[in-house]
Amino acid sequence: MVFNSFQFFGFFACLIVLYGFLKEKQRVYALLAFSIAFFLSFGSFWALFYILFTAASAYLCTLGMEKEGCSEKGRKALLTLCLLSNFGILGVVKYFNFFAGGISSALNRNFTAVSFIIPVGISFYTFQMMGYAIDVYRKIAVPQKNFLKLFLFASYFPQMIDGPISRYNDISEKLYHPAPVEYERCRDALILFAWGLFKKICVADNVKAFVDLVFGDFSDGHGIIIFSGAVAYAVYIYADFSGCIDMARGISSYFGIKLKNNFERPYFAASVEEFWRKWHITLSLWFRDYLFYPLLRSKGFTGLGRILKKKGFKKASKAIPTIIALVIVWLTTGLWHGASLTFVMWGLYYGFFMILGVLRDTLVKKRSKQDGRFLHLSKVLLTFMIVCLGYILFNSASLESAVSMYRNLFDIKHFAEIGRIYSLGVCFYKRVGGMIYFIVTVASVLVMSLYDLAMELGYDTLNWIRKRHWIVKYVFSVGATFLLLFMMNRSAGDFTYMRF
Amino acid sequence: MDRTEIFDRLTNVFRDVFDDDTLEICDSTTANDIEDWDSLSHISLLTSVEDEFGVKFDMKAVVSLKNVGEMVDLIEKSV
């Protein structure tokens, strides 16, 4: 059951009612029981064995590493076994058909895709648990001796759908000592949940109708049509993903467990590097700490740097290993999102821009002056264009359709097909459900955008509302509740990042 | 080697890596205080520090160092 469903509301209501009567130790096990129930609500009972295996292998591996007499070689071997088995399972269930299909195609052989049971959140919980195992190996984290507590870390239900990918040290203290109900914290938690729900059901689910039209019936459109689809996708994916994360953070905050925010107003970034410091933050940090840094610190990469430095290429000794590592990281990032060439190319698309950044920093002396307002705004718009162009790849069913859309986008002759643009507008108006829903969609996009703009400029809108007269707050709360219930009636859309 | 000497030499390393002769660091300096200190330059910085002091940072240090003060503590322990 997804967060934006009446079933989940009932589930959460039962949990918070029970939670209020429990002592601290009991609260931990209540969270575990409800997490298992939440996990099972998504599919087959057998999927539970996947997450049990991941938790059990991490549990045994980390306890083994800390056993007295376990040598450094032994610790490494245990970690390697744990990583290979878990990433192996992830690789098989997510990528077997992609790679086997590709090889069969290259060899001109027939291939029948294998159907696997794919548990919800496998990409998220596998990365989270392998991060835990690596942190224990690095002696950053102390292994958890209670298996049920470790299983709670693996299966904690607010994170199950779309993350965020937590670090064990960041949340374990609060996870194993969930806070008692306290009015202000719980009120703020529900407000955050409601904000995420608003983004999901008022923005994302409605804007998706426009995106589906452009990438479907209007995919042979040109110029403005394709461009508007790309921008709409940017709005949709942000509202969908950040909406889910806000709901997850709100739910978790109710229990006093603070989850990391995955988004810091990414569309206001002035460079691609900055965008990836503000978008899907926990995934970027995971790849940085568990892939990028280990690659650069490995014997191969440091050796390469040393050789280049000896030959007199001081700048290249830093730049070239970094560039190679970036290609590997961005290839993996693309693959993480899915078993498809479009995702691989999307990952390499960003790898290309990151590499341009490295070359720029290597070859061009940095300006000491801060950017003026106009230059900063231009950089923000340019970055947003790059991101939107990338979404065409991200959302296309195949490389061929993506290439076709790019070709059509830059078809200057047919850039503004007024008739088709009007048709698109009418189709969207009908598809979204008529006048009321069209107004709700436009207004919601504006509210979400203006809220983020206000935050970016340093105005805390929520705090401003809190300081108004109680009648204003009451009307606002009642209005928001009615809007959400009204929109909930027609929406139980899944989250895009669930499929990863 | 005392802490002051470590700081002096470390300041030179920071100035060289970030190409800024006016850069000043202190115990509480973090990556947020130096614009160019990001994940791409972090490894270059640590490698340069290792070369300067003849020390080796393990992966725990690479990912967990919170500020320059902790870096200096590690260097002090290792030299």
Side-chain angles (χ1 to χ4, degrees):
Chain A
M1 70 192 117
V2 288
F3 297 145
N4 52 309
S5 65
F6 288 114
Q7 296 96 315
F8 179 77
F9 288 2
F11 169 91
F12 191 48
C14 290
L15 174 57
I16 63 179
V17 164
L18 179 66
Y19 190 86
F21 293 105
L22 298 177
K23 294 194 174 66
E24 186 185 91
K25 206 172 179 177
Q26 295 163 334
R27 285 184 226 131
V28 176
Y29 294 110
L31 286 178
L32 176 61
F34 275 76
S35 293
I36 294 171
F38 184 80
F39 183 86
L40 289 173
S41 74
F42 282 96
S44 151
F45 173 79
W46 300 108
L48 197 57
F49 286 97
Y50 282 95
I51 193 169
L52 268 170
F53 173 84
T54 298
S57 56
Y59 177 74
L60 292 170
C61 151
T62 51
L63 287 186
M65 278 196 254
E66 293 305 293
K67 228 182 175 132
E68 215 171 296
C70 187
S71 66
E72 184 54 34
K73 259 191 182 159
R75 296 178 86 242
K76 207 169 203 169
L78 281 168
L79 178 67
T80 307
L81 186 62
C82 184
L83 295 178
L84 281 177
S85 55
N86 282 281
F87 283 126
I89 288 172
L90 180 64
V92 167
V93 301
K94 266 185 90 166
Y95 305 107
F96 175 80
N97 290 323
F98 173 60
F99 286 109
I103 293 168
S104 300
S105 177
L107 298 172
N108 275 325
R109 291 208 170 179
N110 283 331
F111 171 73
T112 311
V114 179
S115 171
F116 293 101
I117 296 171
I118 303 181
V120 66
I122 187 170
S123 299
F124 294 101
Y125 74 69
T126 303
F127 271 49
Q128 181 158 302
M129 292 309 290
M130 293 306 98
Y132 161 74
I134 296 169
D135 280 350
V136 171
Y137 173 78
R138 288 175 176 171
K139 302 192 180 181
I140 293 171
V142 173
Q144 172 56 246
K145 291 188 166 62
N146 182 322
F147 176 72
L148 291 179
K149 282 186 171 176
L150 189 65
F151 191 56
L152 173 58
F153 176 63
S155 63
Y156 183 47
F157 77 90
Q159 298 175 156
M160 191 53 65
I161 296 178
D162 274 359
I165 301 170
S166 295
R167 300 296 172 93
Y168 182 76
N169 282 356
D170 288 348
I171 73 166
S172 54
E173 173 64 32
K174 295 286 182 182
L175 186 64
Y176 303 139
H177 304 281
V181 173
E182 185 262 321
Y183 171 71
E184 267 190 32
R185 191 194 75 242
C186 295
R187 175 204 66 195
D188 290 349
L190 294 176
I191 290 172
L192 182 55
F193 179 85
W195 175 243
L197 185 65
F198 164 78
K199 285 199 275 191
K200 170 60 178 164
I201 65 177
C202 295
V203 181
D205 285 353
N206 290 323
V207 172
K208 191 170 190 300
F210 187 89
V211 170
D212 288 347
L213 279 169
V214 173
F215 281 82
D217 296 338
F218 287 81
S219 58
D220 58 346
H222 299 81
I224 289 180
I225 289 178
I226 304 296
F227 179 71
S228 65
V231 172
Y233 192 86
V235 172
Y236 156 71
I237 193 77
Y238 173 67
D240 190 271
F241 197 3
S242 71
C244 184
I245 293 298
D246 284 345
M247 283 192 265
R249 288 169 60 228
I251 294 162
S252 188
S253 168
Y254 190 93
F255 310 117
I257 301 160
K258 199 171 172 188
L259 297 179
K260 198 172 175 64
N261 197 355
N262 247 347
F263 300 92
E264 296 284 345
R265 299 177 297 281
Y267 293 149
F268 291 97
S271 67
V272 170
E273 298 100 309
E274 191 184 347
F275 173 77
W276 279 100
R277 288 196 289 273
K278 297 179 168 200
W279 176 275
H280 207 170
I281 295 168
T282 57
L283 183 70
S284 300
L285 291 177
W286 197 99
F287 276 122
R288 183 195 70 182
D289 290 348
Y290 301 115
L291 183 59
F292 185 62
Y293 282 166
L295 277 174
L296 285 179
R297 299 285 289 177
S298 66
K299 285 199 179 101
F301 279 72
T302 50
L304 175 63
R306 226 171 274 124
I307 290 168
L308 287 167
K309 199 173 182 180
K310 260 193 191 144
K311 289 189 187 289
F313 303 113
K314 190 182 173 196
K315 287 187 174 179
S317 70
K318 291 178 189 167
I320 290 179
T322 304
I323 287 169
I324 298 172
L326 283 172
V327 171
I328 295 170
V329 166
W330 283 98
L331 185 63
T332 315
T333 305
L335 269 175
W336 180 91
H337 284 81
S340 149
L341 269 178
T342 49
F343 289 125
V344 171
M345 293 310 294
W346 173 83
L348 292 174
Y349 171 82
Y350 277 111
F352 167 74
F353 284 105
M354 297 298 239
I355 289 165
L356 276 186
V358 169
L359 292 172
R360 175 204 62 216
D361 292 343
T362 305
L363 299 170
V364 177
K365 192 169 168 61
K366 263 236 155 86
R367 289 168 73 243
S368 50
K369 276 196 317 185
Q370 228 183 354
D371 291 338
R373 234 184 253 174
F374 178 74
L375 182 59
H376 179 78
L377 184 62
S378 308
K379 283 182 174 178
V380 168
L381 286 172
L382 177 63
T383 305
F384 184 65
M385 291 302 114
I386 291 171
V387 168
C388 288
L389 283 180
Y391 283 138
I392 293 173
L393 254 176
F394 192 81
N395 195 44
S396 289
S398 67
L399 264 184
E400 291 77 20
S401 54
V403 167
S404 169
M405 286 186 87
Y406 282 125
R407 212 182 285 126
N408 290 347
L409 170 65
F410 295 111
D411 182 353
I412 309 293
K413 251 196 241 172
H414 303 100
F415 198 76
E417 303 164 298
I418 305 296
R420 272 213 104 193
I421 293 169
Y422 177 75
S423 264
L424 173 61
V426 168
C427 284
F428 171 62
Y429 182 87
K430 287 182 187 158
R431 182 82 68 99
V432 85
M435 176 65 81
I436 295 178
Y437 293 105
F438 182 79
I439 291 172
V440 165
T441 305
V442 171
S444 300
V445 171
L446 275 171
V447 164
M448 183 181 79
S449 308
L450 289 172
Y451 177 82
D452 275 4
L453 178 63
M455 291 293 281
E456 184 70 16
L457 296 174
Y459 301 107
D460 191 339
T461 314
L462 186 61
N463 231 13
W464 180 86
I465 294 171
R466 280 207 180 103
K467 290 186 175 136
R468 299 306 104 200
H469 193 273
W470 73 266
I471 289 177
V472 172
K473 286 192 284 191
Y474 180 75
V475 166
F476 182 83
S477 305
V478 168
T481 306
F482 270 110
L483 171 67
L484 290 176
L485 287 173
F486 173 69
M487 294 304 290
M488 272 292 296
N489 220 16
R490 68 196 299 251
S491 164
D494 279 351
F495 293 95
T496 288
Y497 267 74
M498 254 179 75
R499 62 190 163 114
F500 305 142
Chain B
M1 203 185 305
D2 67 12
R3 209 173 166 84
T4 314
E5 193 186 340
I6 292 175
F7 252 106
D8 287 341
R9 287 170 67 179
L10 196 60
T11 303
N12 288 333
V13 172
F14 269 73
R15 285 176 177 174
D16 180 51
V17 169
F18 296 116
D19 202 14
D20 181 357
D21 291 335
T22 63
L23 196 57
E24 293 294 338
I25 56 171
C26 61
D27 276 330
S28 59
T29 304
T30 68
N32 291 333
D33 302 313
I34 299 175
E35 198 192 330
D36 297 337
W37 188 359
D38 56 21
S39 47
L40 298 180
S41 57
H42 183 65
I43 299 296
S44 300
L45 173 66
L46 291 184
T47 307
S48 298
V49 173
E50 286 173 333
D51 290 344
E52 173 67 21
F53 294 98
V55 300
K56 188 96 178 117
F57 295 121
D58 58 14
M59 279 309 299
K60 178 180 177 180
V62 170
V63 304
S64 313
L65 279 177
K66 286 192 185 62
N67 53 41
V68 169
E70 285 188 8
M71 193 186 286
V72 172
D73 293 340
L74 269 178
I75 297 168
E76 252 187 321
K77 271 194 202 131
S78 309
V79 295

